[in-house]
Amino acid sequence: MRGWLIGMAAAAAAIVGLGLFPGMTGTCGSGCGLPVGPEGEEVTDVFTFVHRPLAGDGTLTVRVASLTGELPPDGPGKDPQPGLVPWAKAGLIVRDGTKQGATYAAVMVTGAHGVRLQHDYVHDRAGKPGAVTESAPRWLRLTRAGDVVTALESADGTSWTGIGTVRLKGLPATAEAGLFVTSPMFVEGVGAAGATSAPSLATAGFDHLTTTGGWQSATWTTERVGGTADDPHPIGSGPPPEPGDSPGGSRAPAGGQAPGAEQTADGFTVSGSGDIAPAVAGAAGLGTTISQTLVGTFAGLVFVVVVGAMTMTGEYRRGLIRTSLAAAPRRGAALAAKATVLGAVTFVVGVAAAAVVVTIGPGLLRDNGVYVHPVSTATELRVIAGTGALLAVAAVLALAFGVLLRRGTTAVTLAFVATVLPYLLSMTVLPVAAGAWLLRVTPAAAFAIQQSTPQYAQVEGLYTPANGFFPLTPWSGLAVLLAWATAGLAFAAYRFRRRDV
């Protein structure tokens, strides 16, 4: 009993200690200042904007004649490589001014996802697939009527197809509308522990630009929203901009192009870098999540499975099993009682440890320069209770292994291999696909209960366990572990009843 209590205390200490460890690394400290979107989510809002004020209703039409891009050089001293990231974006946008996080609606062509209608960062609707080429340009149209914005597309500028209509709450009477281009981080070498990423740049050729409605000015203004004079140039390895360079760093290194716009006969050529999207942890190093602060759960789980297995194997080793069965001759009831007590104690320990990390940890980490994405109270409660449930059910599964194998070392090893090892392999050495498979079918799937931020199809984030993302939904992952524990305990009860002690 003394050893079991020590094991539970060690589990709690591992979860809290690793969660609050001040050496935990991250990017974007307390001064990160990520903008907040209309629905309360943190966002990335950086792009090149060629705009005019639109008072009241109006329509903006353009042909996207070309969309090209630059990717980082493949070695030091080399020029940028030609190419587009999949979510490079170029098109039309109407928004509540140029402040970051403003409400907006945009119709766009993309590097590899066809035409899209997106609004307020988290909403995405697909139009027709296909890339923009010289032989296959795309026409785009955005129409505003009050706070309702409608997006259309065309292959020839004559026959138009509707993509969708959105309502922008709070869109002012006079909004800013025009052309935009942006290009997210280029990511390669995605693995369990991360990937290499670097900024990219996209350039779009816009022509046949026409407007109707309440446009207040005939002059187009070019602005890099979210850019500062201290921004490094997104492409290549040249020097950063000097004070006095235009916002966003307009001075390009040798062989590279800078964000900005150049007016043509009936349109613009616009280059941009950045993104208009939710700020996802693991995408361009945008901080960490509370899931990652609970990294100590795997260490706590090691102590928990040891205690779970030894709850039964210790009685076999010390010859106490006959005494226990003499006191409780109904073997099924005795096993159920052990599982109930073990599960309840482990749940309380897990919830207490997770509550300390989730409520205190983010503040301590921010003080140490680590940016932690805030989440809702409901998400915090789910993660805290889910961590307790994960540990409790894993302990019951280890108990079942102890009943079946009756040897402490063997039972503990099997419990470790089933619950802890798949998580560690997925976090470290396994390719993403292999790690995702393990985290779908093994008891380690339950770690999904700790996921605190959503994945977005329109964001090329590093959606790996190391960044707090799992292949199953939180409750589905916990259900996998629960199924393993239920099956294991049922088989253990069957064997326990039928064999000699």
Side-chain angles (χ1 to χ4, degrees), residues 281-335:
L286 292 176
T288 189
T289 66
I290 63 170
S291 305
Q292 292 167 286
T293 67
L294 287 168
V295 65
T297 303
F298 85 91
L301 188 59
V302 173
F303 294 103
V304 164
V305 298
V306 170
V307 172
M310 298 299 290
T311 300
M312 182 59 75
T313 60
E315 295 200 21
Y316 283 106
R317 185 178 70 255
R318 296 180 178 274
L320 296 175
I321 188 66
R322 287 183 173 84
T323 302
S324 295
L325 294 181
R330 295 175 58 190
R331 296 188 179 187
L335 182 58

Side-chain angles (χ1 to χ4, degrees), residues 405-434:
L405 299 174
R406 296 194 285 188
R407 291 184 176 275
T409 302
T410 307
V412 168
T413 300
L414 181 58
F416 179 85
V417 170
T419 57
V420 181
L421 187 59
Y423 174 78
L424 289 178
L425 292 175
S426 300
M427 289 281 286
T428 54
V429 299
L430 285 181
V432 173

Side-chain angles (χ1 to χ4, degrees), residues 106-160:
V107 59
M108 67 200 72
V109 296
T110 62
H113 297 283
V115 176
R116 318 293 292 198
L117 167 60
Q118 296 182 355
H119 75 282
D120 288 353
Y121 307 93
V122 298
H123 302 285
D124 172 65
R125 188 178 304 177
K128 291 183 178 179
V132 170
T133 64
E134 291 185 3
S135 59
R138 292 292 183 95
W139 291 75
L140 304 175
R141 176 173 290 169
L142 208 58
T143 298
R144 177 197 179 180
D147 60 358
V148 175
V149 180
T150 302
L152 302 97
E153 63 173 315
S154 173
D156 55 12
T158 301
S159 179
W160 291 88

Side-chain angles (χ1 to χ4, degrees), residues 28-120:
C28 196
S30 59
C32 177
L34 290 176
V36 176
E39 298 184 17
E41 70 290 324
E42 295 165 299
V43 299
T44 302
D45 201 11
V46 180
F47 60 99
T48 302
F49 192 16
V50 180
H51 59 98
R52 289 164 54 190
L54 173 60
D57 301 342
T59 297
L60 184 62
T61 303
V62 77
R63 187 182 76 156
V64 186
S66 64
L67 181 61
T68 58
E70 292 180 356
L71 305 179
D74 60 1
K78 296 186 178 181
D79 288 338
Q81 304 177 81
L84 284 168
V85 295
W87 281 107
K89 304 169 184 177
L92 305 175
I93 187 170
V94 57
R95 55 184 286 141
D96 179 9
T98 58
K99 65 181 182 296
Q100 290 183 291
T103 185
Y104 78 94
V107 59
M108 67 200 72
V109 296
T110 62
H113 297 283
V115 176
R116 318 293 292 198
L117 167 60
Q118 296 182 355
H119 75 282
D120 288 353

